[in-house]
Amino acid sequence: QVQLVNSGGGLVQAGGSLRLSCTTSRSIFSMAWYRQASGKPREWIATVITRGSTNIAAYLKDRFTVSRDNTNNTIFLQMNSLKPEDTAVYYCAAQLVPGPYPYWGQGTQVTVSS
């Protein structure tokens, strides 16, 4: 079993920045960021493989970056130049082996005001 705690959300004006973090209770194979806006399906943002590469959705690469602290089983999502359409609940997820993500954080709300 893996527990995840993600934090760092909040209210920010358009053009501002936020950094989200997600910490797992143990080392894992990979983690990912997703978000879900009200009334919309969940969408993938980024994947961080603990001993490998990171990938970010192409349409977010110019504003979002991911980083990791393997020692503390933590990943970060740095979000810059935020837009109102970035408003969503942001989730992190983890997996011990490649495949679906069975472990999810509680989500953190990000609200971008215009």
Side-chain angles (χ1 to χ4, degrees), residues 52-112:
S53 61
T54 62
N55 289 287
I56 302 175
Y59 72 100
L60 294 172
K61 275 186 176 180
D62 60 336
R63 299 188 295 119
F64 289 15
T65 58
V66 291
S67 58
R68 60 190 172 203
D69 176 357
N70 289 342
T71 300
N72 293 303
N73 299 325
T74 300
I75 61 171
F76 304 94
L77 179 65
Q78 178 67 42
M79 305 184 293
N80 300 323
S81 302
L82 283 162
K83 305 175 181 180
E85 51 263 44
D86 294 317
T87 295
V89 178
Y90 285 68
Y91 297 91
C92 58
Q95 57 182 198
L96 296 175
V97 295
Y101 283 92
Y103 307 108
W104 291 80
Q106 78 277 21
T108 186
Q109 177 70 46
V110 171
T111 303
V112 184

Side-chain angles (χ1 to χ4, degrees), residues 20-62:
L20 308 183
S21 65
C22 181
T23 300
T24 60
S25 57
R26 55 170 290 181
S27 61
I28 40 71
F29 172 73
S30 77
M31 297 174 71
W33 287 105
Y34 289 80
R35 67 183 182 184
Q36 187 167 21
S38 180
K40 294 186 177 181
R42 185 177 295 172
E43 59 178 354
W44 171 76
I45 297 172
T47 298
V48 179
I49 298 175
T50 301
R51 302 279 181 244
S53 61
T54 62
N55 289 287
I56 302 175
Y59 72 100
L60 294 172
K61 275 186 176 180
D62 60 336

